[in-house]
Amino acid sequence: EAQVTQNPRYLITVTGKKLTVTCSQNMNHEYMSWYRQDPGLGLRQIYYSMNVEVTDKGDVPEGYKVSRKEKRNFPLILESPSPNQTSLYFCASRRGGLRLWPQHFGDGTRLSIL
Amino acid sequence: AQSVAQPEDQVNVAEGNPLTVKCTYSVSGNPYLFWYVQYPNRGLQFLLKYITGDNLVKGSYGFEAEFNKSQTSFHLKKPSALVSDSALYFCAVRGNYQLIWGAGTKLIIKP
């Protein structure tokens, strides 16, 4: 089954404790991205990757890091989480190129930073 | 600047009635428009897109959307609502290498 898998689904942690949210897709997609979803703000892109070793900032990259060492994986790293990063996070992937392929989303990771 | 607006936070419709979820956009050049749906505790799912061609686009689950260039709108429609259509709906427009998302509209279908 084609899917985007995020882990963990839920996490409560404390300020300053480094955490990583993993994202893996099994569709051989070139393009992957991370979003955060906050009430009334819709989805805001954090980082995206056009392919292996190619990443770029989205609209709200501050406080986040990403890496794309393999095509299927795109982890999101919060090196020193703060309460304003409490949010619902989504990873997404799609085929690359100029055509506007639909994005496939994971089921989300709800982070609470105390 | 490119933007998307969903003017209604929530839309309430009785089951069996037609539904409309509104979306307006502002882009330079040709708009590429999308609708996604989010069910509780799930990620977003693609419903339909407009790239070019017919102004009425048909998508998944019986949904369709009407592109209106003069009104810069891309409203989502369904002739007969189901309770299972209750979800959060997002409109998006393509920016530079990424989608620009609306804030979302909660659709509630009452039996």
Side-chain angles (χ1 to χ4, degrees), chain A residues 9-10 31 35 37-38 40-45 48 50 57-59 88 90 94 97-108 110, chain B residues 6 9 31-34 36 38-47 49-51 88 90 94-104:
Chain A
R9 291 290 314 278
Y10 305 91
Y31 181 96
Y35 295 92
Q37 182 181 7
D38 300 291
L41 296 178
L43 273 74
R44 293 180 293 168
Q45 192 176 53
Y48 64 95
M50 305 281 276
K57 297 177 180 179
D59 296 321
L88 180 59
F90 288 100
R94 64 168 173 81
L98 296 177
R99 290 192 63 179
L100 296 168
W101 301 104
Q103 294 195 59
H104 297 255
F105 283 79
D107 284 338
R110 187 168 292 281
Chain B
Q6 294 182 241
D9 292 335
Y32 301 131
L33 297 153
F34 300 79
Y36 282 77
Q38 183 181 22
Y39 297 104
N41 298 315
R42 300 299 303 276
L44 282 72
Q45 297 177 30
F46 171 76
L47 276 180
K49 67 180 178 183
Y50 172 82
I51 307 298
L88 189 57
F90 289 95
R94 187 194 184 194
N96 296 326
Y97 297 111
Q98 61 177 303
L99 294 182
I100 300 165
W101 297 84

Side-chain angles (χ1 to χ4, degrees), chain A residues 48-65:
Chain A
Y48 64 95
S49 169
M50 305 281 276
N51 213 322
V52 175
E53 302 290 3
V54 180
T55 63
D56 208 347
K57 297 177 180 179
D59 296 321
V60 289
E62 293 76 21
Y64 304 95
K65 286 178 59 177

Side-chain angles (χ1 to χ4, degrees), chain A:
Chain A
E1 178 189 353
Q3 59 186 1
V4 178
T5 304
Q6 295 179 227
N7 281 296
R9 291 290 314 278
Y10 305 91
L11 179 63
I12 301 174
T13 187
V14 296
T15 298
K17 185 176 181 181
K18 181 179 178 180
L19 67 91
T20 299
V21 184
T22 63
C23 174
S24 181
Q25 50 94 4
N26 63 0
M27 295 166 279
N28 201 37
H29 286 167
E30 290 82 9
Y31 181 96
M32 298 185 74
S33 62
W34 276 102
Y35 295 92
R36 59 179 289 174
Q37 182 181 7
D38 300 291
L41 296 178
L43 273 74
R44 293 180 293 168
Q45 192 176 53
I46 303 170
Y47 269 94
Y48 64 95
S49 169
M50 305 281 276
N51 213 322
V52 175
E53 302 290 3
V54 180
T55 63
D56 208 347
K57 297 177 180 179
D59 296 321
V60 289
E62 293 76 21
Y64 304 95
K65 286 178 59 177
V66 293
S67 67
R68 187 91 181 272
K69 294 184 171 60
E70 305 164 282
K71 198 171 188 179
R72 65 184 293 127
N73 296 323
F74 190 44
L76 179 70
I77 303 158
L78 286 70
E79 296 222 322
S80 184
S82 63
N84 64 10
Q85 292 177 299
T86 292
S87 187
L88 180 59
Y89 291 85
F90 288 100
C91 180
S93 73
R94 64 168 173 81
R95 291 175 66 176
L98 296 177
R99 290 192 63 179
L100 296 168
W101 301 104
Q103 294 195 59
H104 297 255
F105 283 79
D107 284 338
T109 295
R110 187 168 292 281
L111 286 184
S112 294
I113 315 295
L114 305 178

Side-chain angles (χ1 to χ4, degrees), chain B residues 8-109:
Chain B
E8 302 154 317
D9 292 335
Q10 183 169 309
V11 171
N12 298 301
V13 178
E15 186 178 25
N17 283 1
L19 69 87
T20 299
V21 182
K22 296 180 180 177
C23 172
T24 60
Y25 65 89
S26 174
V27 297
S28 54
N30 294 323
Y32 301 131
L33 297 153
F34 300 79
W35 276 103
Y36 282 77
V37 59
Q38 183 181 22
Y39 297 104
N41 298 315
R42 300 299 303 276
L44 282 72
Q45 297 177 30
F46 171 76
L47 276 180
L48 51 81
K49 67 180 178 183
Y50 172 82
I51 307 298
T52 186
D54 289 341
N55 290 340
L56 188 64
V57 179
K58 294 191 182 299
S60 306
Y61 311 122
F63 284 93
E64 56 191 24
E66 186 171 12
F67 172 67
N68 188 316
K69 189 172 184 178
S70 62
Q71 296 186 6
T72 62
S73 67
F74 189 55
H75 300 334
L76 182 69
K77 301 182 179 187
K78 188 173 183 180
S80 178
L82 300 172
V83 172
S84 57
D85 293 329
S86 297
L88 189 57
Y89 290 81
F90 289 95
C91 181
V93 66
R94 187 194 184 194
N96 296 326
Y97 297 111
Q98 61 177 303
L99 294 182
I100 300 165
W101 297 84
T105 298
K106 186 175 184 179
L107 178 64
I108 297 177
I109 310 299

